[in-house]
Amino acid sequence: MSDNNVHQLDDQRVSRRDFLKLSGLLAAAMGLTAIPPVEASGLPAELGRSYQPNDEIIHALETAQRAPVIWLEFQDCAGCSEAITRSVSPSLVNLVLNTLTIEYHETLSAAAGFQVEEAKKQAMEKYAGKYVLVVEGSIPTGMDGAYCTVGGRTALDLLKEAAAGAAAIIATGNCAAFGGLPKAAPNPTGAKGVWEIITDKPVVNIPGCPAIPEATAGTIAHFVVFGALPELDELHRPKTFYGKTVHDRCQRRGFYEAGKFALSFDDEGAKKGWCLYKLGCKGPTTYNACATIKWDQGLSYPIQSGHPCLGCSEPNFWDGGGFYQGQSAPLVDRPIGTAVVSAAVVGAAAGAVVAMSNAAKKKSKGEKK
Amino acid sequence: MNWQGILEFARGPLFYAALLIFVGGMMYRLVSVIGLGWGKDRVPVKGSKAGGVVKSFLKGILIWPFIPWVKGTFSRNPLIYIGGGLFHLGLFVVLLLGAPHVLVWKSLLGFGWPTLPLPIVDWLAAAGIAAMLLLLINRLAHPVLRLISGPAEYFAWLLVFLPMVTGYMMTHHLWFPYEELFSLHMLSVDALLIWIPLSRISHFMFYFFARAIHGQEFGKRGVAV
Amino acid sequence: MSATAQAIQTFVHETGGWVASQLEACTRCGMCAEACHFYQATGNPEYAPVWKMELLRRAYEQRFTLFGGIKASLGLDKRITDEDISHWSELNYYACTVCNKCSMVCPMGIDIGSLLHEMRAGLAAADMVPADLAAAVTKQVNEGSPLGMTDKVWDQRLEWVADEWEVDIPRDVKGAHTLVVFSSIEVMKFPTNIAAIAKVLNKAGVSWTVSSKAREIVNFGFYEGSEEHTKLFLSRVLEGAKELGVKRIVVTECGHAYDALRWHAANLLPEANSFDIIHITGVLGELVGSGAIKLKPGAFDNDGTITFHDACKIQRKGGHVQEPRDILKILAPNSFKEMTPNREESICCGGGGGVIAIKAADEQRYAAFELKIKQVNSVGAKTVTMTCSNCRLQYTDSVEHFKLDWKVTGLAQMVADALVE
């Protein structure tokens, strides 16, 4: 295997034509609409408009080294990995993970046991300071991290060790980003996201349950190609993929605006493809690329298939009130009836006390009516 | 600023607390006022007290808002009429017939009801906001209102205005990211819920007593309400 | 106890659930001002009804509510001072006739008139009643009437009226069915009214009498707002009625007296419920409607347009809205024209509530009357008739003051004049 991307592509008998096409795909996936050098220089973007982003990719691929990717899994379901491997070649994902990178992946490696651990250790030493660390799954902190161990060592430990030598850290999936399902109340394992533990290095979050494969791959590609992380929002998510809400790009938006809502899963409205807001769709508060990139290479996404958005790329979505509770509803313990009645009783009692004291004030000194 | 965190807090524990304060506070106000005692009316009735009460409520809810020339007051101060009416109409439609709020009711009460299409609710929301601004200007300009208004009135106006305007911004995704607007909306709603029992905004509860008294007094004398 | 403290204590004492729930309902919308004729006429924002009862609100909020108490101690709400009591005395007695039109426009339905009456109770307790009014009250306490109608004067006047207009006025008849109590305004200023009412009742064959004990229906304690005085003057009427064993008391053409006796007496003096209480307007309506008396149709149709002034306490607060119209339809079917607004929405004459008795309030009173001038002139009326002699006094005085060429009369007078013998 060559260390240079282009040589690697040669080895795989990828033609120049296909190479150009794949570069375009990469560029689109990374959301490259401007030229980093021009942007960085502060010159107006129009200057670079005629410039093909494609060329930038090609140039980078021709000159950059292949980057190693170390993929660790902790408290996870491996869903994010599954999603990525469902992609069929030739594809972006395939390109990124098989062509551009070398990886250590626990689930996907054919080998197992001490050999794989040894391979990982060697990769980390050889490419220290240069490898991309991809993390899947949350990290338990309860019981000193004993809830999740690999090869006798806690996930916490393994993460810190791997993060120490990483050039970039990408947390893929809601679990790695925000704690995911394990973090749902009452969070028995003390699960945390990567960025809550690794605070001295930039961590990119690619949340989703699972994460959209193109999002993970595109972000890895960006780092591999440019040696830098893409622009991130305040939750460290790449703005390319997480800059708009599902609601903003939803194909059923027109029905929302017109007030045409499906009221149950098989009523007339549902059959006509009406908005799923009243069935608990969390689209308005969920930032993700589902409505545009979709799943299974643009096949579909939950809303298109008739199920409301779960909000799976947002922190704490498992505690977000329930999948079928309205997005606007408050997040309070239910049922609230007892609490409300108690509050009313307390208020009434206080009111009675005040009323009696006031009534006494009226009667004291002065004629009786 | 961790808007996600603020949002979770504002629509979670803070909302819970605000709601309980609201319920407890309103009950307190109700009991402390009604508990002041109610004398017995021994005066013989000429017309009908009950009839007067019914008519008073009907007029208050159904007719007064829609017939501005009643009692000849519209021409003298159309602003209060239009402003007050539009504000209340916008408020009720948004709170009771707007999809996002009906989902809130559904989650709190266990049942929901049909809603109006977004464009209608949206226009009425905008009208309500415009009406609020009109009412503020009126309160600052009219000599009587200037005399009787103090910090309490202006503060109450602000606390009612903020949820309306943040809600509108939210719906239209104006200028700020959605979760920021949602957080601001929830924070302002929580502040309002807490402030209602402490202020004149609680008038909606005493409205029923005053209207009933009004109906009784006029009905008793056989005078049209 | 200082005067101010007395006032505050009275405010507090008066504030039960009935008052408090209405004070709480006020949203400070200012609509009431648009209905107040004193505010309309002068543009003085302090005449807004909500402002006139401000001290009642302060007393309530600062003493009965937690938040109100806090605000006051932080200086965010003013405490009631002596100057306030004195100033509000002027606002309430000079620029309010307790006509209750404000209650009709309040979006919350607050009975502002009644609350303003409570204000007067407090002001009276603080002895902050305008001198003229206080003097009149004292006169009524000592002489039985604010207009100096002692029993001797009463006797003389009645004799004279009976003689001059040749009417029979039964006096102190035990066992009569109806006691008729005149107002000293009629006896002293509009004596033809006495004759007119006597004529009508006699023609209808009503078993009636007057009482020398219960000779004064006017109740200046009611204007003043003092419960003690109100009760005193009411009890004279009720005792007189009891002594004669009548079943019914008729209040003649006086407004506030009807309000006091019909709508308040029973809650102050339970014995009021032993009698039917009705206003002469109601009696006239009954007699005409039942055919007990017959009127000459169109009797007043050839003297230019005639319009009707609704008296606040007899129409808006008394309910006798339709009877005058039924009668005027017979008496002047062609020349009777309604003013606008009318019936329960009518504008007060500006002289009620004791205002006309207070010289210092002349400015406000005449300003308010200008609204009536506009009303009457816009229907082109030459004659104005009404069912209250206090209104009649205000109209008569103002016609002279403004040098108008209107004829001012009363409904009972018209009925008597058009009576078919």
Side-chain angles (χ1 to χ4, degrees), chain C residues 107-187:
Chain C
M108 304 298 291
I110 299 168
D111 202 28
I112 306 174
S114 307
L115 297 177
L116 289 171
H117 191 84
E118 307 292 357
M119 272 298 295
R120 291 189 178 209
L123 294 169
D127 277 323
M128 266 294 165
V129 179
D132 292 343
L133 187 58
V137 172
T138 310
K139 229 175 173 174
Q140 184 164 8
V141 171
N142 297 328
E143 296 175 22
S145 155
L147 288 183
M149 192 177 70
T150 59
D151 45 5
K152 241 203 212 84
V153 172
W154 152 261
D155 193 37
Q156 284 169 4
R157 294 293 284 188
L158 283 197
E159 280 280 352
W160 171 68
V161 166
D163 196 39
E164 183 74 20
W165 282 280
E166 287 164 20
V167 279
D168 194 28
I169 303 177
R171 308 234 258 158
D172 293 313
V173 174
K174 259 209 170 67
H177 177 265
T178 299
L179 169 66
V180 174
V181 188
F182 292 104
S183 68
S184 49
I185 305 176
E186 288 161 297
V187 175

Side-chain angles (χ1 to χ4, degrees), chain A residues 126-161:
Chain A
K126 181 176 176 200
Y127 297 104
K130 292 198 221 130
Y131 61 83
V132 175
L133 173 63
V134 179
V135 183
E136 186 181 348
S138 67
I139 299 93
T141 53
M143 270 213 311
D144 288 322
Y147 284 107
C148 175
T149 60
V150 180
R153 298 177 63 198
T154 65
L156 197 52
D157 225 21
L158 290 166
L159 173 66
K160 287 184 183 158
E161 178 195 56

